[in-house]
Structure formats: C-alpha cells, structure tokens
Amino acid sequence: FELISDEGYRFDGRKPSELRRVRCNMGVFTQADGSAYIEQGNTKVLAAIYGPHEASNNMRSRVCLDKCFINCEFSQAMFSSAERKKRSRGDRKGKDMSAHIKQTFEAAVRTQLYPRSQIDIYLQVLHSDGSLYCACVNAATLALIDAGIAMKDYVCACSASLTKETSLIDINHVEELAGCAEFSAAIMPKLDQIIYSELNGRIHQDELGQLVDAVTNGCKDIFAVIDRFEVITDNTEIAVSPRSLHS
Amino acid sequence: MAKVMLGESEKWFIIHGIQDDMRNDGRSCEDYRHIEVETGVVSNTHGSSRLRLGSSELLVGVKVELGSPDPKAPNEGLIHFHVDCSPNADPSFQGRGGEDLSANISCILTRIYCNKSSIDLNTLGIIPHKQCWVVHVDVLILECGGNLLDAVSIAVKAALHNTGVPNIQVTDGDEGTQEISLPDDPNDVKFINTVNAPVLVTISKVGSRHVVDASSEEELCCNASLVMGVTKRGRTTGMRKMGGGSLDPESIPEMIETGKNIGRQLHISLDKLLKTEQGMAEDIEKAGYL
Amino acid sequence: MSNITIRLPSTRRTQNQYETGTSYLVTPGDVITEDTDYMRGHGTYCTGDADDKLYSSVAGVVERINKLICVRALKSRYTGEVGDIVVGRVKEVQQKRWKIETNSRLDSILQLSSVNLPGGELRRRSATDELNMRSYLNEGDLISAEVPQVNVDGILSLHTRSLRYGKLSQGCLVIVSPSLIKRRKNHIHNLSCGASIILANNGYIWIYTTQHSSQTEEGDGGFIISNESIPIEDREIICRLRNCIKCLAKRSVVLYDTSILYAYEASMSYKVKQLLDDEVCDEIVNKTIYLLQQANVGNSEY
C-alpha cells in the first residue's frame, strides 16, 4: 500500500503539501458565549466556549487568584468513526486530548486578564478522519475569538507525516494508520511561535527540521483560510450597527 | 450561561400568560416553535438527521451491524437507543453530568418503540436464531432549549426514514449452514419503513391549562406533564407521566386527545418534509452547520 | 387550531447587502501601531520585549480616543463601569449580602446595607434584617441596580438605594449581547406603545407594564409586588416587544428606544407569533435599518 503514488499524488488525490478543504463558521450556537464549527476534509468538529464566568461549585479548588483557569473537555460522537465505538466520556484518549488542548490554550489566552474566573472549552467531534487534535485546536481558536476572549494571537494547528523523504501535510485517517511517524504542532502564526508539538513514531534527527518546516507552512496555510472567513463575519456584524456606538 | 432560573414574579407572568392563551413569545397553547429538519448529514452512518426546534439542537446517527437475535424472538432484529448529552449544550453535562438525562430519554424511546407495530422488526431478521440486523440509534444533544423529548423523537423518525439497510443475500453453504453476503454497491439498500413510527408529544400542565412544546422557562413553571408516543394514525404506543406534581384524573383524557391531534399533525408535516427532501436532487449541499 | 410546520433549514446568512463602512477591523495578533506615544486600552497588549509594537488581543473595531487606543470586541461578557445600570438575577443568599449573576466575568455583590428597607427607614441593619434577607430577595429573583463601584478584582458592587431600582415584578426578560446596548443618559424608558423597558448595560432587557403609580415619578423600590394577572392587551404589547428585540438582536442591530420603537411599528402588520419566522424577522429588521438610516441623515446627534 503506497501512500504516495509514482506520479506524486496521495491516496485521496492531493499533492503532498496540499491541505484538505477547510470550511468554517462562527456563532453556530445561541446559548454558548462563543461557538464555531470547522470541517477539515471529512473531520468535523464543533467547539463551544462558556466564559469567562465565576468558577462553578465543583471546580472551586482550581481557582487561581492571578489568572483564569481553562477547563477543557473533548468528546467524540458515537457515529463519528467508521466503526461504532461505545465511548464513555472520561476515557483515557479523551482525557489526554483535553489535557493537550488545555495546555495549548493556556499559552495563547491572556489569562492574567481574568483572575478567579473559569473559561470552559467544549469540543465535540462529529466526524473523525484524522488530525483530530488539529481540527479541535482550530475550532477552539475560532470559538474563543467569537466569544471575545483576549488572546495573544490565533492558534493554528496542523499535522504532517514523513514517507519516502516527502512530508505529507494534514494527514487523514488512512494515512495515520499507515504507521509512519506523525508530527502535530500548534503555532501562533503572526508571532511565529510554536506552543505545542507532539511527535509519534520514529524519525531520523536530520529529518526533524523538514517535518517542522512542513507543519509550520501547513499551519500558516490554515491561518490564511480561517482569517479570511473570520473577517467576512466581522464585516457583516459591523455593517448593521451604526457607527454612532463610538460616540 | 445555559442554565435557566426564574424568579417567582416571572413564573406568575408565564402562568397568567398561558391562562390567557398568549405565551411569552406570542404562541398559543398548541403551537410549536420553528422546526428545521435535515437528513443524510453524517456520512459515516447508514442514516442520520439534524433537527432544530426553537433553541434545541440535536444530531441523530443510525448504524446497522450484524448481530445475534434475542432468543425469545429469533426471527426479529434488534433496535437500541443511546443518547449522549454533549457539554456544548450545558457545562453541567461535563463528565458524567448528563447521564441521568440521557438514561431517561433513551428509556422512553425504547418504551415507545418496543411493540409489534412501530418498526417491523421481522424485516431486520436475516437467519433465524443466528443472525440479524442490530440497529443502533445514537442521539447527540447539542443545545437544550426545552422540550427535548419531542425533538428527539422527530429526529429519530427522520433518521430511521433515511436509514438504508444493506440488501443481504442468504445462500446455502456447505454442510447445511447458511452464508450471508453483503452487496458491493453501497446504494443497494432497503430503507426502513417508518410508516408506523411514533413521535413523542409532551403535554405540560401549567395552572389549569396545558401546553405543548414548552420552552425551558415554561418547563420550570410546570409541575406535571404527560409524555405520549403517537403514531401517524393517532394511536398511542406508550405514555408516561413526568414531574413531581399531580394531575387531576379528569383532565387526563383531554390531554390525551390534544396529544393525539398534535401527534397526527407532526407526522403530516414531517412526512411532507421527508418527501420533499427525497424529491430533491441527490447532490444538493446539506446546510449542516455552515 | 394549531399550525405545525416543519421545514428544511435555510442556509445561514454569510453575506450582507449593506456597505461595510470604513471601520478598521483587527484580529488577535495584528499590529495596531508601532508608535510608542499611545496608551494601551482594552483589547490590546505589548509583548514587553525590545519592540514596542501594540498588538490586538481580540477581533473587533479599533477605537482611538486622543491618545488611548482600544479594541472593542463584537461580542463579549459584560465588563462593568461605574454608573451603569444592570439587571441581575440573585444566585445565592449569603451572610449580609446577595450574590448576583450579571453576565460578567465574576458575580456581582449586593450588600444588605445597599438596599432600601421597606418603608424607607434609615437605620443600621440588625440581626433580624439579616435573617429576613430571604423575605426580600430570594434565589432566582431579578433586580435592577446601579453600579457605584468596581472593585480591584473586577467584582461589581451594586446598590438599589434609589426607588427607581429594586426587585422586579411581572414581566419578560430578553438576554442579548452587552455590546448591542447603546450607552445613553437614560436606560429606563416608558415607551409610547404602552409598555416600559429597562435596557441594562449588561445585556439583560426587562420589559414590563408601565406602572401607573400615583406616588413618586420614580418608582416604588420594588416592594410592591403584584402577582395578579395582567390585561391581555398589555401582555400582547410585551410579547410583541420581546419578539421585536429578539429579531433585532439576531441581526446585531444596536438597541435603544428609537430602534425598538421603529421595529415595533414595523411589526404591527403581523401577528405576534408570526414574528418568530425568519422571513418576517428579516423584513422587520430591514425596515428598521432603513428608518434608522433615514434618521441618521436627518440629525447628527442622538
């Protein structure tokens, strides 16, 4: 089973440095403070943000006096993967993913502005086809912007894999199962900083630089797509409120 | 925040409004809020639907698997319901917070569907005593805006209507055993017949009148409600009283009549929509969340 | 005879046919300016390194007032300012104070000493008063209050010392984003259509029947609570206003007494429950925007 055909195309017809189609929308829910939906190819994730608000009773022990704490929960729908898997909410994979995403956003959200508060990030995967962490991070970024929570920069995440000395960007489920090394990272594109990275599998030290570059480029591409959507939404809302608000 | 609380004066305002047949949003006691339904939105499943009722939002995915039948009913298939309350809907659903609600809803769904007429389970049998289709219906609740039971049942009926069970060939194999072969063509399916599938109608008693499709605020004002499963022809497949208050025995027949009428209308509207959707072109883009 | 319609979802609106104007939009991480003369306001930050660039931390419109630059986000939780009017819900009854939920980052506090006692007495609060707190404000009750003080940690202290504020009696609450409420001199209006409205700065809008009290102009401090039924004509006005406000909020139109009244008048040709439909909602909002723009052309000051 070849990940790259002889002509240089991948399993789903993409070139190695090509992203899947990204579509997104903000403000999907009315009750949450911020919400967003993102589709990266067939991976579909919904994010909802509640906060910043007063810490709920069962989380009072985690309140910090000088910053807010971020509470994240990741869940996958039963019908999200090809075989139906009965997943309980607190299973290890879910907790692992929640912890990674929480760590990512603690670096990006300006937590010192919201002392003693709590920000909830809830992610729901509707359809899973690889690069789950990346889609979740991108959805959560849009949802945080929708909620008006102060952040240092966008957070864009992308994954890459290495095969036959070519890096493949934005890997899907089939490519994940192929067993090559997989590298995911979340970066802040404008400030050009990596805030989270994870490597699964084994690669040679010389190949690391190539992977990191590939992922960084992938993240910047995703940022270009998200930014454009976001600004369009901004425009439509501004249009209807007369400028007299500024008086 | 998503949780709703009401002060006493607000509750009186709502209760008096219902007495006068003008609810907070102008509806009368028998009006439903805006309902939007779409089927075929999740591609990994054999059938799916998305529903929005007022501010309640949910997704239903149906998957069929091969399994062994219940020894008490060897010719029939099985149908299982599972409900998942996503924390997107309410922070209190985080971790195991939503389990009570999900258990409640899946229990009620099982109750109204497990009778001879709702779904003909004989069509889901393959080889008696050995193999049958097991239909897993998974409901994902994304937003709670009141009247979840009705919303879930309408979405489940739409998803089942959209579910295509692969056409299976049973051939005689060696030594008297039977072998099954699945078709190659993914479109070679037989759709589940939902002519008799019931929908739930929740009739809530507020003051001395009863309302259908209670919003979350109205649910806080009502102590007792009746949930009934109603089929297209107006027959009741199951009933349950919810809530801590009491119902006057004389008012129950009236509530049941209302429930049956409303149920019939829901079926008519839903069937009309499903027919319209089927008639539309195959490649129309589903709206989904975009 | 009820009317139940189930329909296919309409595609969500992403395009808008109005001009976007020349507002300066930024997103998190954008450099607003490299000039060090400016003071940083809300929604901005510096990295504190060698470069003195001013970055934006939210997505919104840049506002420049003399030397102060801030970025106002389109949607956010309420940040209190002194002098604001808020409508809040009692979350908890504690010793000598109530915790009020006001859609802000932390819950606000209403001290026992900051409320008016029944009868308008001025005296020190005794232990009996503490025990009777629940008889005045219980969990779940709504109050209107003013913000005299914002504490260092961001918690708002509220007070209801004037008769204009206090516990709210029968009416309807609509919750919108705080950024849609225009800051004006007066937030409590007796509308000409027959109902009264409180447009609180924290996004909670309270609609109620106009009090025809022969007492003071201001109000009764929330002590006279009537739980009697309201006449149906008044109720219809309140429900219609509620639906109009929800339509305007859905399309992010700024809410103040004029815009709400325009929407109300535009909605008179429909029945109250028809205002829940998307098409009717769009039509009313378009008419309101048109009327507002006409009024803008006429005068320059609101």
Side-chain angles (χ1 to χ4, degrees):
Chain A
F1 172 58
E2 294 288 324
L3 280 175
I4 307 187
S5 70
D6 294 322
E7 292 89 43
Y9 289 105
R10 290 153 79 171
F11 184 69
D12 52 3
R14 285 185 284 156
K15 296 236 181 63
S17 60
E18 202 180 316
L19 288 176
R20 289 179 286 182
R21 182 169 77 155
V22 175
R23 294 155 85 193
C24 51
N25 196 8
M26 287 166 55
V28 198
F29 293 145
T30 47
Q31 291 180 344
D33 289 306
S35 54
Y37 170 71
I38 199 167
E39 272 184 21
Q40 276 184 234
N42 275 334
T43 301
K44 302 178 185 168
V45 179
L46 269 173
I49 305 282
Y50 287 92
H53 61 86
E54 176 109 13
S56 51
N57 285 333
N58 48 350
M59 308 234 186
R60 273 204 207 267
S61 51
R62 294 159 66 178
V63 167
C64 311
L65 292 176
D66 56 339
K67 56 184 181 140
C68 74
F69 80 89
I70 295 186
N71 168 41
C72 175
E73 175 141 323
F74 165 88
S75 34
Q76 265 186 286
M78 297 251 169
F79 42 75
S80 58
S81 49
E83 324 95 46
R84 180 181 181 271
K85 247 193 249 179
K86 195 171 164 77
R87 270 177 219 92
S88 62
R89 194 62 69 61
D91 67 340
R92 241 183 346 178
K93 183 169 174 247
K95 279 207 174 138
D96 200 33
M97 183 76 80
S98 309
H100 293 325
I101 295 177
K102 175 179 140 91
Q103 186 193 338
T104 310
F105 283 101
E106 270 171 356
V109 170
R110 300 202 60 220
T111 48
Q112 323 88 294
L113 291 181
Y114 309 112
R116 296 168 58 191
S117 313
Q118 174 182 345
I119 295 181
D120 298 310
I121 303 180
Y122 296 121
L123 295 152
Q124 180 76 45
V125 177
L126 300 180
H127 207 281
S128 126
D129 189 18
S131 295
L132 272 186
Y133 167 78
C134 306
C136 287
V137 164
N138 296 331
T141 300
L142 283 176
L144 282 168
I145 295 178
D146 188 42
I149 293 180
M151 301 211 289
K152 296 188 189 129
D153 191 359
Y154 278 68
V155 182
C156 296
C158 189
S159 58
S161 176
L162 196 62
T163 175
K164 285 202 233 167
E165 298 183 13
T166 332
S167 359
L168 307 175
I169 296 206
D170 195 13
I171 52 185
N172 60 25
H173 189 60
V174 172
E175 290 164 345
E176 265 177 6
L177 291 176
C180 304
E182 181 196 322
F183 181 70
S184 328
I187 71 167
M188 293 203 281
K190 292 175 207 168
L191 299 176
D192 216 0
Q193 306 204 335
I194 298 185
I195 50 178
Y196 179 81
S197 67
E198 185 184 346
L199 171 66
N200 290 325
R202 206 177 62 167
I203 58 169
H204 196 278
Q205 200 177 336
D206 298 335
E207 294 167 325
L208 183 60
Q210 181 189 5
L211 258 190
V212 173
D213 282 337
V215 168
T216 317
N217 286 333
C219 291
K220 296 222 164 100
D221 289 338
I222 290 192
F223 165 66
V225 178
I226 296 181
D227 198 19
R228 188 173 58 86
F229 270 112
E230 221 264 288
V231 173
I232 290 180
T233 322
D234 275 0
N235 267 329
T236 56
E237 289 203 35
I238 287 281
V240 206
S241 16
R243 251 162 287 134
S244 54
L245 253 190
H246 304 207
S247 56
Chain B
M1 289 279 277
K3 205 127 235 165
V4 184
M5 258 212 299
L6 281 187
E8 207 191 314
S9 303
E10 284 171 279
K11 286 190 187 161
W12 278 113
F13 184 74
I14 293 178
I15 295 175
H16 289 312
I18 292 176
Q19 305 294 106
D20 293 335
D21 204 23
M22 171 152 290
R23 293 150 85 169
N24 263 8
D25 50 3
R27 286 183 291 154
S28 74
C29 294
E30 293 186 1
D31 281 333
Y32 265 72
R33 289 169 289 179
H34 192 60
I35 307 181
E36 274 180 7
V37 171
E38 212 183 0
T39 59
V41 284
V42 183
S43 43
N44 254 342
T45 54
H46 293 100
S48 60
S49 69
R50 182 182 83 88
L51 179 138
R52 187 166 192 95
L53 165 63
S55 57
S56 297
E57 171 110 26
L58 28 106
L59 261 183
V60 178
V62 181
K63 278 201 158 143
V64 297
E65 282 175 355
L66 290 168
S68 4
D70 188 358
K72 287 182 267 186
N75 293 327
E76 294 181 347
L78 299 167
I79 185 163
H80 289 314
F81 294 96
H82 183 91
V83 178
D84 186 14
C85 297
S86 167
N88 285 26
D90 192 312
S92 64
F93 289 156
Q94 188 171 349
R96 308 188 62 166
E99 277 187 7
D100 286 342
L101 181 61
S102 10
N104 198 16
I105 299 180
S106 40
C107 225
I108 297 183
L109 279 175
T110 317
R111 182 178 298 219
I112 58 166
Y113 270 88
C114 72
N115 56 63
K116 287 271 184 282
S117 58
S118 297
I119 299 272
D120 190 2
L121 294 171
N122 279 317
T123 56
L124 296 173
I126 307 171
I127 303 175
H129 297 279
K130 294 240 179 66
Q131 295 267 23
C132 68
W133 285 117
V134 181
V135 179
H136 291 285
V137 181
D138 296 313
V139 181
L140 178 65
I141 298 182
L142 292 165
E143 256 196 303
C144 292
N147 203 22
L148 274 179
L149 283 168
D150 295 18
V152 167
S153 66
I154 300 175
V156 164
K157 179 176 173 184
L160 284 173
H161 180 93
N162 180 245
T163 305
V165 179
N167 268 328
I168 223 167
Q169 309 285 341
V170 180
T171 48
D172 287 320
D174 324 307
E175 295 160 15
T177 58
Q178 288 175 302
E179 286 178 3
I180 51 178
S181 56
L182 291 165
D184 293 323
D185 181 11
N187 288 332
D188 186 10
V189 292
K190 196 174 64 170
F191 287 100
I192 294 187
N193 186 352
T194 53
V195 158
N196 285 322
V199 293
L200 288 166
V201 181
T202 309
I203 306 136
S204 316
K205 183 184 127 198
V206 180
S208 61
R209 292 196 62 157
H210 41 262
V211 293
V212 290
D213 193 22
S215 63
S216 350
E217 289 95 22
E218 288 165 348
E219 275 178 352
L220 287 174
C221 301
C222 112
N223 279 343
S225 55
L226 209 58
V227 177
M228 33 192 295
V230 182
T231 64
K232 195 153 113 168
R233 289 199 215 117
R235 285 165 148 197
T236 321
T237 62
M239 189 164 85
R240 194 203 226 181
K241 178 210 162 277
M242 320 256 288
S246 52
L247 285 175
D248 191 6
E250 285 151 8
S251 64
I252 294 187
E254 199 189 321
M255 289 168 92
I256 295 182
E257 262 318 296
T258 315
K260 288 206 276 199
N261 286 333
I262 302 273
R264 254 176 277 175
Q265 280 177 27
L266 276 174
H267 277 290
I268 294 174
S269 299
L270 183 62
D271 289 337
K272 195 165 98 178
L273 173 96
L274 290 173
K275 212 176 191 169
T276 317
E277 212 186 8
Q278 252 178 331
M280 282 164 54
E282 280 288 314
D283 52 356
I284 291 268
E285 273 244 32
K286 299 290 172 179
Y289 292 101
L290 292 166
Chain C
M1 187 53 206
S2 57
N3 182 21
I4 300 177
T5 45
I6 304 185
R7 21 155 82 181
L8 283 171
S10 43
T11 44
R12 291 164 198 254
R13 170 179 295 276
T14 50
Q15 287 300 338
N16 195 297
Q17 62 265 42
Y18 296 98
E19 334 94 57
T20 57
T22 51
S23 337
Y24 178 29
L25 294 169
V26 288
T27 50
D30 277 346
V31 177
I32 305 177
T33 176
E34 298 195 15
D35 198 346
T36 50
D37 271 350
Y38 290 101
M39 291 194 294
R40 292 182 279 134
H42 288 303
T44 63
Y45 74 100
C46 292
T47 48
D49 297 341
D51 68 270
D52 289 318
K53 294 193 214 160
L54 193 62
Y55 296 94
S56 160
S57 60
V58 292
V61 182
V62 176
E63 285 178 354
R64 208 194 75 173
I65 305 167
N66 294 334
K67 285 289 185 185
L68 178 69
I69 291 194
C70 29
V71 185
R72 189 174 47 84
L74 294 160
K75 202 191 340 175
S76 68
R77 285 233 154 190
Y78 172 59
T79 41
E81 284 181 28
V82 176
D84 280 351
I85 293 191
V86 296
V87 164
R89 201 181 281 285
V90 175
K91 197 165 149 184
E92 226 183 295
V93 180
Q94 293 179 343
Q95 213 180 18
K96 284 207 205 146
R97 64 187 199 178
W98 289 275
K99 262 210 150 161
I100 312 279
E101 195 240 309
T102 50
N103 196 24
S104 44
R105 184 168 73 73
L106 292 170
D107 294 332
S108 314
I109 304 278
L110 178 66
Q111 300 276 6
L112 178 57
S113 49
S114 311
V115 304
N116 276 336
L117 288 171
E121 306 161 44
L122 296 168
R123 57 173 171 79
R124 259 187 89 120
R125 307 298 192 260
S126 63
T128 339
D129 291 320
E130 251 182 81
L131 295 171
N132 287 342
M133 280 172 78
R134 276 220 164 74
S135 60
Y136 175 45
L137 282 179
N138 212 339
E139 275 100 347
D141 284 338
L142 276 178
I143 57 156
S144 66
E146 199 181 352
V147 182
Q149 186 190 357
V150 180
N151 295 341
V152 180
D153 47 11
I155 298 184
L156 306 174
S157 296
L158 305 177
H159 88 105
T160 59
R161 290 313 293 262
S162 155
L163 288 175
R164 305 172 73 201
Y165 309 118
K167 185 161 147 183
L168 296 174
S169 119
Q170 286 196 60
C172 186
L173 181 73
V174 182
I175 301 182
V176 303
S177 167
S179 51
L180 290 179
I181 308 276
K182 198 156 134 66
R183 263 223 167 92
R184 307 188 78 189
K185 278 191 307 225
N186 206 5
H187 283 263
I188 305 182
H189 305 279
N190 288 338
L191 296 175
S192 56
C193 51
S196 303
I197 197 167
I198 300 182
L199 290 161
N201 291 92
N202 63 337
Y204 282 19
I205 301 180
W206 178 249
I207 315 170
Y208 59 108
T209 46
T210 315
Q211 310 285 35
H212 300 291
S213 51
S214 53
Q215 290 177 330
T216 58
E217 284 277 311
E218 296 186 327
D220 50 18
F223 293 108
I224 306 173
I225 301 283
S226 133
N227 285 331
E228 297 297 318
S229 180
I230 297 180
I232 189 145
E233 307 81 28
D234 292 341
R235 183 177 290 281
E236 192 176 330
I237 300 175
I238 293 180
C239 296
R240 190 179 283 279
L241 276 172
R242 175 201 179 271
N243 284 351
C244 289
I245 292 178
K246 285 227 150 169
C247 290
L248 292 174
K250 211 169 18 170
R251 291 275 300 274
S252 304
V253 178
V254 178
L255 294 167
Y256 56 112
D257 52 355
T258 319
S259 62
I260 296 178
L261 274 174
Y262 283 156
Y264 184 84
E265 279 154 32
S267 76
M268 287 308 279
S269 44
Y270 297 98
K271 282 205 284 203
V272 182
K273 62 180 169 189
Q274 287 178 297
L275 299 173
L276 297 172
D277 280 339
D278 280 338
E279 291 100 18
V280 174
C281 174
D282 283 342
E283 200 190 310
I284 293 180
V285 175
N286 289 344
K287 260 195 230 166
T288 311
I289 295 177
Y290 175 70
L291 288 170
L292 283 174
Q293 283 175 337
Q294 297 289 69
N296 275 9
V297 171
N299 32 335
S300 56
E301 199 186 275
Y302 299 95

